[in-house]
């Protein structure tokens, strides 16, 4: 599942409501460079954030249950201090409490009689009970209508003494003794009525744009029919879908279509029967019915089977599906070539819907997508959109093996499928575009969404040990950090060893629901020379490791370099003490002339290498490099080989500039620029707080920037990345307590310094690029890089507010031949208090008001761009006809964009705290209809302790207001309670 409701831009703060959930346009530089190829994933491809899929149904359980479980998550002091609050908390689910399912369901036959308000679902479950099990418990939702008498039978006979448990919403069916004996199979039939039209939570069966749609991950299937709704119950499915043939001519389900036609007893209705022969968990069930058209194609697998491919959209959107179809075919080819994985059914369908909580969902053979990750044309989609679509299409397709054929034993193992599949889609995107800049984009999202989560109250291991609502753990940690865990394994094992490991994984566990330990076991069996025991800590320990590196040269003539590492892992909620992690650190050496140096590792007699990977396993570890010329500089953590916070002790401004100018590792080139700018901004933050004048940029930094900017041999996208100024959210994480207003002012000052000191170089770059920007639109990486670099340069020079630049932006909004350039110019002007800004915003809406996806971009840009008056702007947007509070994309764009993507506007609103109060009120309002969306928005408050007063107290007050609001969902309650604990 994709939690990325992307991600075309930087995300400030937060959680995956945040990889896979939000992506906000915090600067047009961010918008320009985000096209570098990073995914949007399950989605943010967030929560913000890979992003980003499916979510969990709030359970209707009594608060006050399992208080002992909650105490395991908290310190004794915290538990005692908040005892009364804990008594009100919902039940906590624990990994340690896992038990196998008491009843397995081998097959389910479903008949779904679709009706807008009274859909009738009849299910026949072929079951096997474990010895001693006398009651079949099926999860269900309180919104269902069920006749516990005539509506339920066992082996054709009416079931006796059926009851519904109000405490945990379970349908309890006693199993007759003669039926349950000896593990014999038996059949249970249920018949329920559900109301799709009333389902505004967008999980289970619901209506979207007049069509029927489903979303079952994580626990939405129980809203459709009673069932043991857990991923370790894997069944084959046969589904008959029946609907009005005029209103719903297209009927889609999982598996292969085996029969269809008119209903004999009612000529106004028709049916379609789908059979999925591969056992799957119920979260992968899907159906769609409606008035849809499709783009068709075919794919021939490596064994010669012909697979029918179809993308279903509403009428008029077919021209926007070509890129998605080509992306699907590239994904299928890539998975065969890289992992030997062939598609296993005769059809593969993709459906685009306008109302979807997340990015996309990998239902077996029937992927359901948020429309924004399918529909694209040159006129309506940015470079980042095209890349996100390719990545998310790939992500959901790759789930066919990493998630569907091999699935999770329980929801605590979520990263088993999501982390692995995000890594796979990142590698796919890297192979389809520029590997270097794709990697930078991946790390940008990790740092903006996941690092803050690791440092906040919602910190959890990639495999959580407890949760109240599984919805809340579709996070950047599970997705993005989970992908980094897989990447470290790839680095440790090497490409061949990793492929042997995945082959063994599929060989051992095809058709099973497994754990993270099973994954590591398969890799270890395939690579017996590698010890992965300590590595398992990445699945159980939370927090971002801090690695301190001290580099020293040997004495005169020794030609040695010593690198001493020390690792620490900060305390996180429930984990005060941590064990050392297994951290692979890739490193190289730059000679005094700037060229890479061949060196020997650990011994003067070793083989010379250009790069080495240190397996840092101890708290402190030292590595000696030989044949290193005096005056060389170590290049550490190349390619960001581990998700750690590296402190390169004693590195000078001169050395960072040297790395930026000469390092052959593109990530470290970018990283050096970010460190230099971060240091400059943070120094000026202190000055702003002290009321002192700010200091200008060091000339060395300006010169290094000029060198990179003017070097036409470099990838233009990399040059755009190097030019980007660290976001406010990134800067907040570099200090103990963040002053948002001082940070904004210092960042603005440094940005203006860059613009004025680089002006002539920037204008030359723009002049050189302009002839290359015309002609036919291309998704070639160089063409995208040229657009990104031009727009990043324009964004910087426009900080000086020259009339000629403002007019240029206005012309580009009005006349640009592609959405990338038009949106970049609009983003620049939206931050200005000038006539051109007003005209541009109005022109853009007038031109694109007919296209809801483009209007969504228009909403987001305004919410993320406005300054001190941002709250007024956002209130106007919420009242705008284009805004629908029941549409997740609109909510993420406006409310999420404001609260998580506009830190200055969010904190600067007057009177102080007014913006916090407004968002809190909206959270409570949205929670009544869609708890999943509300829980993502409320994440903007989780880091309240990070800020100076009065911001801290004012944000805390709104958390307390939300907690005290009657009837809040478990989704929101869990986040609020953990934030306040």
């Amino acid at each position: 599942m994709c939690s990325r409701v992307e991600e075309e831009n930087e995300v400030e703060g937060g959680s995956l409501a945040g990889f896979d959930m939000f992506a906000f346009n915090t600067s047009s530089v961010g918008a320009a460079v985000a096209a570098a190829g990073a995914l949007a994933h399950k989605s943010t491809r967030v929560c913000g954030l890979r992003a980003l899929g499916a979510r969990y149904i709030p359970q209707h359980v009594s608060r006050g249950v399992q208080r002992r479980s909650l105490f395991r998550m908290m310190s004794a002091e915290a538990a005692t201090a908040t005892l009364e609050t804990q008594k009100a908390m919902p039940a906590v689910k624990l990994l340690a409490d896992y038990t196998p399912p008491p009843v397995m369901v081998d097959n389910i036959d479903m008949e779904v009689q679709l009706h807008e308000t009274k859909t009738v679902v009849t299910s026949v479950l072929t079951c096997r009970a474990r010895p001693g099990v006398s009651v079949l418990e099926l999860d269900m939702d309180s919104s269902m209508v069920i006749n516990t008498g005539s509506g339920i039978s066992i082996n054709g006979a009416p079931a006796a003494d059926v009851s519904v448990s109000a405490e945990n919403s379970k349908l309890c069916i006693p199993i007759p003794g003669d039926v349950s004996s000896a593990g014999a199979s038996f059949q249970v039939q249920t018949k329920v009525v559900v109301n799709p039209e009333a389902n505004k939570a967008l999980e289970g069966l619901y209506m979207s744009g007049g069509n029927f749609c489903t979303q079952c991950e994580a626990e939405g299937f129980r809203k459709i029919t009673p069932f043991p709704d857990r991923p370790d119950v894997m069944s084959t499915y046969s589904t008959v879908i029946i609907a009005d043939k005029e209103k719903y001519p297209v009927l889609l389900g999982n598996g292969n279509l085996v029969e269809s036609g008119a209903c004999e007893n009612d000529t106004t209705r028709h049916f379609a029967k789908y059979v999925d022969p591969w056992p799957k968990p119920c979260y992968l069930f899907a159906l769609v019915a409606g008035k849809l058209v499709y783009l068709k194609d075919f794919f021939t697998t490596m064994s010669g089977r012909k697979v029918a491919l179809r993308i279903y959209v509403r009428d008029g959107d077919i021209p926007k599906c070509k890129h998605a179809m080509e992306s699907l075919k590239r994904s299928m080819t890539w998975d065969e070539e890289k992992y030997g994985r062939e598609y296993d059914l005769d059809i593969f369908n993709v459906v685009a819907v306008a109302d979807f909580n997340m990015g996309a969902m990998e239902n077996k053979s029937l992927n359901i997508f948020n429309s924004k990750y399918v529909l694209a044309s040159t006129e309506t989609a940015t470079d980042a959109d095209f890349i996100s679509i390719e990545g998310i299409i790939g992500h959901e397709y790759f789930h066919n093996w990493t998630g569907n054929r091999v699935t999770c034993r329980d929801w605590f193992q979520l990263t088993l499928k999501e982390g692995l599949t995000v890594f796979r889609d990142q590698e796919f995107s890297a192979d389809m575009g520029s590997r270097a800049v794709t990697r930078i984009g991946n790390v940008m999202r990790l740092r903006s969404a996941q690092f803050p989560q690791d440092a906040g109250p919602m910190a959890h291991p990639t495999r959580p040990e407890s949760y109240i609502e599984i919805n809340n753990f579709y996070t950047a940690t599970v997705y993005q950090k989970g992908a980094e865990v897989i990447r470290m394994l790839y680095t440790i094992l090497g490409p061949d060893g990793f492929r042997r490991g995945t082959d063994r994984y599929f060989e051992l566990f095809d058709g099973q629901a497994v754990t993270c330990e099973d994954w590591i076991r398969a890799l270890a069996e395939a690579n017996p020379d590698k010890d992965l025991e300590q590595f398992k800590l990445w699945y159980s320990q939370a927090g971002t490791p801090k690695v301190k590196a001290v580099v020293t040269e040997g004495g005169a003539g020794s030609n040695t370099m010593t690198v001493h590492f020390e690792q620490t892992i900060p305390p996180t909620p429930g984990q005060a003490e941590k064990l050392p992690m297994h951290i692979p650190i890739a490193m190289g050496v730059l000679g005094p002339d700037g060229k890479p140096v061949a060196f020997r590792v650990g011994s003067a007699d070793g083989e010379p290498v250009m790069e080495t990977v240190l397996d840092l396993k101890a708290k402190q570890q030292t590595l000696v490099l030989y044949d290193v010329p005096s005056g060389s500089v170590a290049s550490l953590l190349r390619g960001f080989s581990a998700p750690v916070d590296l402190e390169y002790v004693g590195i000078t401004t001169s050395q960072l500039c040297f790395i930026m100018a000469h390092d052959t590792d593109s990530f470290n080139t970018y990283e050096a620029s970010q460190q230099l700018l971060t240091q400059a901004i943070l120094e000026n933050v202190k000055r702003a707080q002290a009321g002192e004048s700010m200091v200008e940029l060091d000339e060395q930094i300006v010169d290094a920037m000029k060198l990179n900017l003017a070097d036409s041999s470099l990838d233009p996208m990399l040059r755009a990345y190097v030019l980007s100024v660290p976001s406010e959210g990134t800067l907040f994480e570099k200090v103990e307590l963040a002053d948002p207003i001082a940070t904004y002012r210092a960042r603005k000052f440094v940005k203006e310094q860059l613009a004025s000191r680089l002006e002539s170089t920037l204008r030359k770059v723009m002049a050189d690029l302009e002839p290359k920007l015309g002609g036919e639109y291309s998704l070639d990486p160089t063409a995208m890089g040229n657009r990104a670099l031009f727009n990043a340069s324009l964004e910087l020079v426009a900080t000086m507010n020259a009339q000629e630049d403002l007019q240029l932006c206005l012309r580009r909004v009005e006349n640009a031949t592609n959405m990338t350039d038009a949106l970049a110019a609009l983003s620049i002007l939206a931050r200005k208090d000038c006539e051109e800004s007003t005209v541009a915003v109005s022109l853009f809406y007038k031109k694109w008001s007919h296209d809801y996806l483009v209007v969504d971009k228009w909403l987001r840009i305004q919410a993320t761009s406005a300054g001190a008056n941002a709250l007024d702007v956002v209130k106007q947007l919420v009242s705008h006809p284009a805004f629908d509070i029941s549409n997740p994309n609109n909510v993420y764009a406006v409310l999420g964009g404001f609260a998580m993507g506009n830190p200055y506007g969010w904190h600067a609103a007057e009177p102080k705290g007014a913006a916090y109060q407004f968002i809190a009120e909206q959270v409570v309002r949205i929670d009544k209809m869609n708890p999943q969306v509300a829980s993502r928005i409320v994440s903007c408050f989780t880091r309240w302790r990070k800020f100076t007063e009065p911001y801290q107290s004012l944000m805390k007050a709104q958390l307390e207001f939300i907690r005290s609001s009657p009837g809040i969902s478990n989704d929101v309650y869990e986040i609020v309670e953990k934030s306040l604990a």
Side-chain angles (χ1 to χ4, degrees), residues 28-29 31-36 383 716-717 720 769 773 783-793 820-821:
S28 61
V29 173
V33 299
D383 292 347
M717 189 72 77
L769 287 173
L773 301 181
M784 289 192 292
N786 287 338
R787 286 190 288 273
L789 181 56
F790 183 94
N791 289 324
S793 301
T820 301
D821 290 340

mmCIF file of all heavy atoms in Angstrom, residues 28-29 31-36 383 716-717 720 769 773 783-793 820-821:
data_model
loop_
_atom_site.group_PDB
_atom_site.id
_atom_site.type_symbol
_atom_site.label_atom_id
_atom_site.label_comp_id
_atom_site.label_asym_id
_atom_site.label_seq_id
_atom_site.Cartn_x
_atom_site.Cartn_y
_atom_site.Cartn_z
ATOM 1 N N SER A 28 9.863 26.821 -4.062
ATOM 2 C CA SER A 28 9.878 26.336 -5.428
ATOM 3 C C SER A 28 11.180 25.627 -5.733
ATOM 4 O O SER A 28 11.253 24.832 -6.648
ATOM 5 C CB SER A 28 9.653 27.482 -6.407
ATOM 6 O OG SER A 28 10.655 28.446 -6.295
ATOM 7 N N VAL A 29 12.236 25.902 -4.949
ATOM 8 C CA VAL A 29 13.436 25.085 -5.087
ATOM 9 C C VAL A 29 13.095 23.658 -4.733
ATOM 10 O O VAL A 29 13.432 22.709 -5.436
ATOM 11 C CB VAL A 29 14.565 25.597 -4.161
ATOM 12 C CG1 VAL A 29 15.732 24.629 -4.185
ATOM 13 C CG2 VAL A 29 15.037 26.963 -4.623
ATOM 14 N N ALA A 31 10.210 22.312 -4.895
ATOM 15 C CA ALA A 31 9.341 21.783 -5.948
ATOM 16 C C ALA A 31 10.169 21.367 -7.155
ATOM 17 O O ALA A 31 9.903 20.355 -7.779
ATOM 18 C CB ALA A 31 8.325 22.838 -6.351
ATOM 19 N N ALA A 32 11.175 22.165 -7.463
ATOM 20 C CA ALA A 32 11.976 21.859 -8.643
ATOM 21 C C ALA A 32 12.813 20.608 -8.441
ATOM 22 O O ALA A 32 12.829 19.717 -9.281
ATOM 23 C CB ALA A 32 12.887 23.050 -8.955
ATOM 24 N N VAL A 33 13.492 20.531 -7.308
ATOM 25 C CA VAL A 33 14.417 19.417 -7.147
ATOM 26 C C VAL A 33 13.716 18.133 -6.769
ATOM 27 O O VAL A 33 14.271 17.057 -6.946
ATOM 28 C CB VAL A 33 15.505 19.740 -6.092
ATOM 29 C CG1 VAL A 33 16.297 20.929 -6.515
ATOM 30 C CG2 VAL A 33 14.905 19.952 -4.704
ATOM 31 N N ALA A 34 12.464 18.214 -6.290
ATOM 32 C CA ALA A 34 11.775 16.986 -5.921
ATOM 33 C C ALA A 34 11.541 16.095 -7.116
ATOM 34 O O ALA A 34 11.295 14.923 -6.964
ATOM 35 C CB ALA A 34 10.453 17.294 -5.249
ATOM 36 N N ALA A 35 11.635 16.644 -8.313
ATOM 37 C CA ALA A 35 11.462 15.834 -9.505
ATOM 38 C C ALA A 35 12.604 14.867 -9.703
ATOM 39 O O ALA A 35 12.622 14.120 -10.650
ATOM 40 C CB ALA A 35 11.357 16.745 -10.714
ATOM 41 N N ALA A 36 13.569 14.851 -8.801
ATOM 42 C CA ALA A 36 14.738 14.024 -8.990
ATOM 43 C C ALA A 36 14.465 12.551 -8.930
ATOM 44 O O ALA A 36 15.348 11.783 -9.115
ATOM 45 C CB ALA A 36 15.762 14.359 -7.935
ATOM 46 N N ASP A 383 6.985 17.401 -13.482
ATOM 47 C CA ASP A 383 7.989 16.333 -13.558
ATOM 48 C C ASP A 383 7.883 15.424 -12.335
ATOM 49 O O ASP A 383 7.982 14.194 -12.440
ATOM 50 C CB ASP A 383 9.395 16.936 -13.605
ATOM 51 C CG ASP A 383 9.668 17.681 -14.904
ATOM 52 O OD1 ASP A 383 8.884 17.538 -15.857
ATOM 53 O OD2 ASP A 383 10.664 18.431 -14.946
ATOM 54 N N PRO A 716 22.412 18.462 -14.013
ATOM 55 C CA PRO A 716 21.736 19.706 -13.642
ATOM 56 C C PRO A 716 20.817 19.544 -12.427
ATOM 57 O O PRO A 716 20.635 20.489 -11.662
ATOM 58 C CB PRO A 716 20.938 20.068 -14.903
ATOM 59 C CG PRO A 716 20.855 18.807 -15.693
ATOM 60 C CD PRO A 716 22.088 18.048 -15.383
ATOM 61 N N MET A 717 20.255 18.358 -12.231
ATOM 62 C CA MET A 717 19.415 18.146 -11.060
ATOM 63 C C MET A 717 20.255 18.194 -9.791
ATOM 64 O O MET A 717 19.829 18.734 -8.765
ATOM 65 C CB MET A 717 18.698 16.800 -11.157
ATOM 66 C CG MET A 717 17.645 16.591 -10.088
ATOM 67 S SD MET A 717 16.180 17.604 -10.363
ATOM 68 C CE MET A 717 15.376 16.671 -11.661
ATOM 69 N N ALA A 720 20.869 21.698 -8.931
ATOM 70 C CA ALA A 720 19.681 22.289 -8.299
ATOM 71 C C ALA A 720 19.591 21.893 -6.829
ATOM 72 O O ALA A 720 19.261 22.716 -5.971
ATOM 73 C CB ALA A 720 18.428 21.862 -9.046
ATOM 74 N N LEU A 769 20.438 27.961 -20.066
ATOM 75 C CA LEU A 769 19.426 26.903 -20.057
ATOM 76 C C LEU A 769 18.212 27.240 -20.911
ATOM 77 O O LEU A 769 17.555 26.342 -21.446
ATOM 78 C CB LEU A 769 18.960 26.622 -18.625
ATOM 79 C CG LEU A 769 19.934 25.875 -17.708
ATOM 80 C CD1 LEU A 769 19.381 25.840 -16.293
ATOM 81 C CD2 LEU A 769 20.169 24.453 -18.222
ATOM 82 N N LEU A 773 15.054 24.728 -22.951
ATOM 83 C CA LEU A 773 13.761 24.471 -22.316
ATOM 84 C C LEU A 773 12.611 24.441 -23.305
ATOM 85 O O LEU A 773 11.512 24.017 -22.968
ATOM 86 C CB LEU A 773 13.480 25.531 -21.244
ATOM 87 C CG LEU A 773 14.503 25.622 -20.108
ATOM 88 C CD1 LEU A 773 14.092 26.701 -19.116
ATOM 89 C CD2 LEU A 773 14.656 24.284 -19.393
ATOM 90 N N ALA A 783 16.571 16.636 -19.321
ATOM 91 C CA ALA A 783 15.547 17.655 -19.562
ATOM 92 C C ALA A 783 14.877 18.060 -18.244
ATOM 93 O O ALA A 783 14.658 19.257 -17.988
ATOM 94 C CB ALA A 783 14.507 17.137 -20.548
ATOM 95 N N MET A 784 14.560 17.083 -17.401
ATOM 96 C CA MET A 784 13.961 17.402 -16.108
ATOM 97 C C MET A 784 14.941 18.182 -15.247
ATOM 98 O O MET A 784 14.563 19.125 -14.535
ATOM 99 C CB MET A 784 13.510 16.134 -15.398
ATOM 100 C CG MET A 784 12.305 15.471 -16.036
ATOM 101 S SD MET A 784 11.571 14.187 -14.993
ATOM 102 C CE MET A 784 12.877 12.953 -15.010
ATOM 103 N N GLY A 785 16.214 17.790 -15.305
ATOM 104 C CA GLY A 785 17.227 18.510 -14.540
ATOM 105 C C GLY A 785 17.376 19.949 -14.997
ATOM 106 O O GLY A 785 17.545 20.853 -14.169
ATOM 107 N N ASN A 786 17.306 20.168 -16.303
ATOM 108 C CA ASN A 786 17.395 21.538 -16.814
ATOM 109 C C ASN A 786 16.247 22.404 -16.300
ATOM 110 O O ASN A 786 16.448 23.564 -15.909
ATOM 111 C CB ASN A 786 17.399 21.528 -18.345
ATOM 112 C CG ASN A 786 18.702 21.026 -18.934
ATOM 113 O OD1 ASN A 786 19.743 21.061 -18.260
ATOM 114 N ND2 ASN A 786 18.667 20.554 -20.156
ATOM 115 N N ARG A 787 15.027 21.845 -16.307
ATOM 116 C CA ARG A 787 13.888 22.603 -15.784
ATOM 117 C C ARG A 787 14.068 22.885 -14.291
ATOM 118 O O ARG A 787 13.792 23.987 -13.808
ATOM 119 C CB ARG A 787 12.581 21.839 -16.033
ATOM 120 C CG ARG A 787 12.113 21.863 -17.483
ATOM 121 C CD ARG A 787 10.720 21.308 -17.635
ATOM 122 N NE ARG A 787 10.661 19.860 -17.467
ATOM 123 C CZ ARG A 787 10.859 18.985 -18.434
ATOM 124 N NH1 ARG A 787 11.150 19.389 -19.665
ATOM 125 N NH2 ARG A 787 10.761 17.675 -18.210
ATOM 126 N N ALA A 788 14.528 21.876 -13.550
ATOM 127 C CA ALA A 788 14.714 22.051 -12.105
ATOM 128 C C ALA A 788 15.752 23.122 -11.814
ATOM 129 O O ALA A 788 15.555 23.970 -10.932
ATOM 130 C CB ALA A 788 15.131 20.726 -11.471
ATOM 131 N N LEU A 789 16.865 23.105 -12.545
ATOM 132 C CA LEU A 789 17.933 24.071 -12.289
ATOM 133 C C LEU A 789 17.491 25.474 -12.674
ATOM 134 O O LEU A 789 17.781 26.448 -11.944
ATOM 135 C CB LEU A 789 19.199 23.667 -13.058
ATOM 136 C CG LEU A 789 20.421 24.567 -12.865
ATOM 137 C CD1 LEU A 789 20.788 24.706 -11.392
ATOM 138 C CD2 LEU A 789 21.607 24.032 -13.667
ATOM 139 N N PHE A 790 16.808 25.618 -13.804
ATOM 140 C CA PHE A 790 16.329 26.943 -14.195
ATOM 141 C C PHE A 790 15.362 27.492 -13.142
ATOM 142 O O PHE A 790 15.492 28.649 -12.712
ATOM 143 C CB PHE A 790 15.623 26.875 -15.557
ATOM 144 C CG PHE A 790 15.161 28.214 -16.060
ATOM 145 C CD1 PHE A 790 15.960 28.970 -16.916
ATOM 146 C CD2 PHE A 790 13.933 28.750 -15.678
ATOM 147 C CE1 PHE A 790 15.550 30.220 -17.372
ATOM 148 C CE2 PHE A 790 13.509 29.990 -16.122
ATOM 149 C CZ PHE A 790 14.320 30.729 -16.973
ATOM 150 N N ASN A 791 14.409 26.665 -12.718
ATOM 151 C CA ASN A 791 13.409 27.145 -11.766
ATOM 152 C C ASN A 791 14.002 27.411 -10.391
ATOM 153 O O ASN A 791 13.591 28.346 -9.692
ATOM 154 C CB ASN A 791 12.257 26.149 -11.678
ATOM 155 C CG ASN A 791 11.409 26.137 -12.929
ATOM 156 O OD1 ASN A 791 11.194 27.177 -13.558
ATOM 157 N ND2 ASN A 791 10.928 24.966 -13.332
ATOM 158 N N ALA A 792 14.999 26.622 -10.000
ATOM 159 C CA ALA A 792 15.673 26.871 -8.720
ATOM 160 C C ALA A 792 16.451 28.183 -8.776
ATOM 161 O O ALA A 792 16.465 28.957 -7.809
ATOM 162 C CB ALA A 792 16.609 25.715 -8.382
ATOM 163 N N SER A 793 17.080 28.448 -9.917
ATOM 164 C CA SER A 793 17.819 29.706 -10.088
ATOM 165 C C SER A 793 16.866 30.894 -10.106
ATOM 166 O O SER A 793 17.121 31.937 -9.477
ATOM 167 C CB SER A 793 18.629 29.660 -11.390
ATOM 168 O OG SER A 793 19.545 28.580 -11.388
ATOM 169 N N THR A 820 5.223 21.877 -14.901
ATOM 170 C CA THR A 820 6.399 22.051 -14.042
ATOM 171 C C THR A 820 6.806 23.515 -13.975
ATOM 172 O O THR A 820 6.988 24.078 -12.885
ATOM 173 C CB THR A 820 7.572 21.206 -14.566
ATOM 174 O OG1 THR A 820 7.185 19.823 -14.582
ATOM 175 C CG2 THR A 820 8.800 21.375 -13.686
ATOM 176 N N ASP A 821 6.949 24.140 -15.127
ATOM 177 C CA ASP A 821 7.386 25.536 -15.160
ATOM 178 C C ASP A 821 6.300 26.478 -14.655
ATOM 179 O O ASP A 821 6.583 27.446 -13.938
ATOM 180 C CB ASP A 821 7.785 25.920 -16.589
ATOM 181 C CG ASP A 821 9.065 25.228 -17.033
ATOM 182 O OD1 ASP A 821 9.827 24.783 -16.158
ATOM 183 O OD2 ASP A 821 9.298 25.137 -18.259
#
